[in-house]
Structure formats: C-alpha cells, structure tokens
Amino acid sequence: MADSYNFSTSAYRRKIRMHSILRFIFCLILTIISLIPIYIILINSTRDSADIIQSGIAVLPDVHVLDNYAKLTSETFANGSYARAFNLWIGYRNSLIIAGSSTILSVFFSAMTAYGLTVYDFKGKKFATTFILMVMMVPTQVVSTGFLEFMATLGLLNNYIPLILPSIAAPAVVFFMLQYMKSSFPLDIVEAARIDGCGEFRTFMQIALPIFKPAFAVQAIFAFVAAWNNYYTPSMLLVNGDVNMKTMPMMVAGVTGLTTSTDYGVTNLAVILSILPIVIIYLLLSKFIVKGVALGAVKG
Amino acid sequence: MQAANGRRQRMVSYAKYGYMFIAPFFIIYAFFMIYPLINTFLLSFKANGSDHPDTWVGLQNYQYLLFGGETRNQNAISAEFWRSVGNTLILWAGNFLVQIVLSLLLAVWFSDVRIKIKGTGFFKVVMYLPNIVTAASVAGMFLMLFGNTKYGAVNSLLMNLEVILKPITFLNDTWTSRVLVMLIQSWMWYGNTMLLLLSGIFGIDPSIYEAADIDGSSGANTFFRITMPILKPIFIYVFITSMIGGLQMFDIPYLLHEGNTVKPALQTVAVFVYDNFHTVYNYGYSAAASMILFVVTAVLGLVIYRFNSDSTAPKKRRAK
C-alpha cells in the first residue's frame, strides 16, 4: 500500500518535470524566434555587402561595422543616396523632440484632466467622463483625411506642431489616470491643502502630481514608445522630403526603400541603429514595461 | 467623503476650477480630432482631384466605392476598395489566429501553479520585445530577410541547403506575401496578447483551481470548463481591440515591398486611404473610405465602452 503510494507520487513528479522541461524547450524556441530576425540584422550590419551576397546568413559578427557606418554617412558612396535618406543624429534628435514633448504633454495634461474630473463637482462632469471613455478606442487614423486637409489649410504641413500638440488630448491616458486616482488618491488631501490656504493649481502641481508619479512612469514609457515608433502621422505631415525634418521611422523606411543602390551591410546597419535607443530603453525598463502592459494604456 | 465634498461646495464653489482643469483636453480634442472628423465627413461629399475640390457631389463617393459606377474608373475604384477591405480582413484574421493560439497557450502555461517553467520572467521580457520595435524598422528587417532575390537571407539559406533551386519571390506572390505579413504581425503582437490574457488569468481566484484539482479535474478539462469561461470577457476584449488595431493596419503592409509600389495583395484600407489622398489626390474617396472605417471602428469601440463602464471589466492595451 505504502509502496504503491510512493510509486505513484514519484511517477507523478516525474511526469510534472517532463512537462516542465518540454514547456521550457517550447519557450526557448519562441525566444529564438523572437530574437532571430533582430540577431540576423545585427550580425549583417557588421558584414560587408559582398560577403552577405556570397554566403548568406552568418552566425558570428564580422568587423565591417565602421566601414558600413562610413558608407552610410558618406556623401559619395552610392552617390550619397544613403546620406540623403538617413542621418542618424538628426533622426534621433527629431524623434526625441517629437516623442519627448508628446510624452510630457500627454502625461501632464492627462493627469490634469483626470484630477479635474475627480476632485471637482461641476455641471457636465459626468458627460465629460463618459465622453472620454467613449472616444478612447477611436484611433486618430480614421480622421486622417480631414486632419491632413485641415492642417494643410492652416499651413501646418512640414511642421512638428500637429505631431506634438494633439498629445494633450490622450483619452486612454486620462482613463488610466482616472482609474489610478480612484484607487490611490485621497481627496482629503485637497481639503487639507485648501484649509492651509493652498491655491487650487498649486495643490495640483505640488501635492497631486507627486502622488501620480508611479502612474506617470508607466504611461510615459508607453507614450514615448508609441510616439517614437509612429510612422503613419509623420509621413503624412512631413511631405517636403527634407531629411533634416524626418523622424527615425521615416528615415529607416527611406533607406529600405532605396531600390537602386542596395548595399546590404549598410542597410542592415541603418535598421539596427534605428531601433537601438528603443531596445536599450526597453531592456533597462523591461520589468516596468512588462507589468505595465496589462495595467492600461491603449496603443495609438 | 463624496457627500462632505458636496456640502462644502455649496458654500464655496470650486466648479470653475473643474472646467479649467479639463479645458485643455477638450479644446485640443475638438481642434485636432472632432473638427478633423467633421472635415472628413464634409470631404467625403466633395469631388475628387485637386483642381475642383469644392464641388459637392452628394453620396456619389460612397456609391462608387461601395457599388461601382458607370465608367471604368468608377468600377476600378470600387474593386480597389473591396479588395482592400478583403485584404485587411484576411491579414487581420490570419494574424489573430496565430497570435491568440500562441498567447493563450503561453498564458495558461505561465500561470500554471503545478507545472512551473523556469525563467518565466525572462521569457515574458523577450516575447514582448518585438512589440516595442519600430514597425517601420520591422518591415525593413523582414525585407532584408525575405528578399525576393537569392540575396535575401532566407532564400540564400534555403538555396545553400539545396532545399530550393531558385529563389522564392516571397514579397511578390499573393499568398507568400500575405502569410509573411500575418506572421510579422503575430510576431510583433503575441507577447502583448499573452501578457493581457495572463493578467486575466491571474485575476481568477486560485482556490477555484485547487478545488478542481482536488475533484480530479484533468488539465484540459480545467482549461475548457474553468479558465476559458472566466477568460471570456477579456478574450472578447482582446478580440475587439485587436480588430480595431487590425483595421488600421498600415506600416507593415505599406512598407513590405521591393520597388516603388505597394503590392496589391497587401493593400489594406489604411493604405487605400493614404494612397488615394497622397498619390492620386482622390480626397473624396479617401474621406469616404475613412468615414466607413470610422463607423465600423466606432461600433467596435462602443462594445469596448460597455466593457469599461462595467467595473469588473479588464482595462487593457490594444492588440493589433
């Protein structure tokens, strides 16, 4: 009796371990699938184009990364078509300006809107809240035709304003902040501040904003990544072809779209450089991000 | 607390601050979203072409898009529109199928208390990574990998291994290019969907599983009888948000081609809207297609709204 019991538990344990190992292997395969496209491009960015053409995929990196970078930035290589389509530092700068300011605006004004809707009582408050929830899922893309025509009328094409300013109204971020305030913002604090003679706006800036900090972090990361990765809106608005205005995704699309002068090493390098900052940010903040995915925020 | 608030406000009204705090949001929203929506609506009733932009044509644009017209051009635009609708649905459905099977499996595994997998935290980080990589760069990456010629990485590998004799034109053939887009989209989004489903499963009271275990319920039985029914709301949520995202699918299909034009098999509705506006100045068609997209999205969005206004509903990121 005792023996058979022991046997069954050890068999059960063995079965569990087997399953655990099988699942681990499956996850390992998915890990490889998730990383291999990036890995191949990374390796190819260090190789000479002729070598890539001749021997296809390689496992280990080569030494040509600086040569490729020189070609990427050269005014003469391939008639300067790479340099015309892609300028690393200007691309980083432009994307940083747009993504950075959109992030700050969207997080700050969303907190402000959520604060206004939570702390104060006023006519139309319920309507305003319902409205924000209802439009949360409507992506800006569906109004792109009218948006673009309107911006053209205002003379705002080839301008960063229509890329940055709309982030002030980010319904999904407001929604998230509302949830956050409901669960972790003590309204007594506002009362206390009033009794101490603190102005309403100062209460928001100095007392409420610090409490919002954890919510800020998650929302800021996603807002930044979404703005940085956005290709659709900038490519619609920045139409004069001036490389000095282009964002990183536009530049990478420009390089991979070069049909006449394909140097595989150089193109691969451009692709890798375009994703480098965002991958570094991700690896540094991955714990935050993975937790934050399920917390709220809607991708734009 | 709420009541105390109300009582004080009768003495000193703070209402004006409420308006001040929410004003920026609504002003900007009206300017950059509502007016553009009205403008799109108006444009959809105007003629095409940049030479006579202010001629009203009534419902003509919708008519030609949906049902075609008398001339060849009018019929061509209708065919193009319906093809783009078909492409969008095919690309989205294929991507969703792969994505949901994979992420459901992973979510159930990662939350399994009996059979633990080592390194779950690491796997989650890696599997989510493709989602944050710039879509335009992803398109660039897969252009390099699946190039049409023997210089494409996959072609050269297969040819070196002598699996194939001549290169497969992945990007040019209707179905290889579609499957490629589906796989790319799945690759980008399965980690995201997995994390959403996982958070839904973690919301399930573990004692239910313990009870099922004690009652001798098998793994499959537990999954179909307990996990799936409880996951249903979040499942519907993922389904609809993914559909909303899928309807806007643009970057990958738009950029995944060698040469200058988007492949017809990959022309989604978003690409149709973009191309008609930029390339051929068919503002009317572009706006009408946008409005159709808007109506469909708004209906889907209302379903999500019903979920969100229900306090127990999950609030999650949108999957594409």
Coordinates of all heavy atoms in Angstrom, one line a residue, chain B residues 2 56 69 103:
Chain B
Q2 N -17.6 61.8 -0.4 CA -18.2 62.5 -1.6 C -19.3 63.5 -1.1 O -19.4 64.6 -1.5 CB -19.0 61.5 -2.5 CG -18.0 60.6 -3.3 CD -17.3 61.4 -4.4 OE1 -16.5 62.3 -4.0 NE2 -17.5 61.2 -5.6
W56 N -19.8 69.9 -54.6 CA -20.5 68.9 -53.8 C -21.0 67.8 -54.7 O -21.5 68.1 -55.8 CB -21.6 69.5 -53.1 CG -21.2 70.5 -52.0 CD1 -21.0 71.8 -52.2 CD2 -20.8 70.2 -50.7 NE1 -20.5 72.4 -51.0 CE2 -20.4 71.4 -50.1 CE3 -20.7 69.0 -49.9 CZ2 -19.9 71.5 -48.8 CZ3 -20.3 69.1 -48.6 CH2 -19.9 70.3 -48.1
G69 N -19.7 52.3 -60.5 CA -20.5 53.3 -61.2 C -20.6 52.9 -62.7 O -20.6 51.7 -63.0
S103 N -0.6 32.8 -27.7 CA -0.6 33.6 -26.4 C -1.5 32.9 -25.4 O -1.2 33.0 -24.2 CB -1.0 35.0 -26.7 OG -2.0 35.1 -27.5

